[in-house]
Amino acid sequence: MKPPDRRPASGTPGGAPSAAPDGHVALRDFSRSLPMLLLRSHQAVMAEFRPILREHGITEQQWRVLRALTTSPALRISRLGALTLISGPSLTRILKTLEERGLVDRHAEPEDQRAARISITAAGRRLIDTVAPFSEARYRSIARRVGERDLARLYRLLETLPEQMRRPRRQGTEES
């Protein structure tokens, strides 16, 4: 990877970097750090849902797993990890806990006994059904505060961001 371009950046509005006196590019204002803004947004949104999950004796990660399992009759562990963005070791621990609580089942695949498929149980579905009205009420509250149009726009932007980030960088762009 080539080193970042050290040419002075143009002073654009919104906290973009500007040239430092020594000719190096200064970092953008911390308040305009995209990873930090996304993390703050995640925390603000999850603060709405954590009390509901806690009240029903479930963690955020356990909820993600159960929600993902509602999308398919059964999922391979690798697919479940990809859908929930949970690492393999963490997912293994979460599945063990959910299995002990009777919320998920693990089935060996007939063609490969080492591979397992995970499915949500009737008890897991009942938990989803119990939490769903509270969760949807929070979504409605968020929509009222953010505004329906802005929220729809935010969904569109966030849905496309991962794909846009996978696109190859154009020649001549900085890589910092």
Side-chain angles (χ1 to χ4, degrees):
M1 175 166 42
K2 73 177 190 169
D5 188 352
R6 294 290 187 189
R7 290 174 293 172
S10 62
T12 59
S18 59
D22 62 3
H24 289 91
V25 174
L27 285 172
R28 68 184 53 244
D29 189 87
F30 188 64
S31 68
R32 301 302 291 175
S33 164
L34 184 58
M36 287 306 300
L37 286 169
L38 290 169
L39 186 56
R40 275 191 205 102
S41 296
H42 171 264
Q43 292 299 324
V45 170
M46 285 312 301
E48 297 288 316
F49 293 94
R50 281 186 194 111
I52 296 167
L53 299 176
R54 198 171 20 255
E55 191 173 306
H56 291 90
I58 194 157
T59 67
E60 294 173 44
Q61 293 81 10
Q62 291 169 347
W63 178 251
R64 278 195 307 209
V65 168
L66 292 173
R67 287 284 287 124
L69 289 171
T70 66
T71 66
S72 177
L75 293 169
R76 284 189 129 195
I77 292 176
S78 59
R79 178 68 181 140
L80 190 54
L83 286 172
T84 60
L85 303 175
I86 298 173
S87 70
S90 293
L91 185 56
T92 299
R93 286 189 302 278
I94 292 164
L95 289 172
K96 183 177 186 259
T97 300
L98 292 173
E99 206 171 4
E100 288 169 355
R101 290 182 60 186
L103 301 174
V104 301
D105 277 331
R106 184 185 308 251
H107 309 282
E109 289 196 9
E111 60 276 354
D112 183 357
Q113 293 296 310
R114 296 168 297 166
R117 287 191 166 277
I118 308 298
S119 59
I120 191 168
T121 64
R125 288 194 184 279
R126 282 192 300 276
L127 179 59
I128 293 281
D129 291 343
T130 299
V131 174
F134 299 101
S135 176
E136 288 305 312
R138 291 296 163 94
Y139 276 110
R140 287 189 300 276
S141 173
I142 291 167
R144 280 191 303 275
R145 287 180 280 165
V146 173
E148 295 283 347
R149 287 180 60 199
D150 284 344
L151 190 57
R153 188 167 160 242
L154 181 60
Y155 272 113
R156 284 191 305 275
L157 289 169
L158 292 174
E159 286 168 349
T160 61
L161 185 61
E163 180 61 34
Q164 291 168 341
M165 297 306 297
R166 284 190 290 271
R167 290 182 188 157
R169 291 182 180 95
R170 288 181 272 167
Q171 286 295 336
T173 59
E174 293 183 28
E175 293 192 23
S176 52

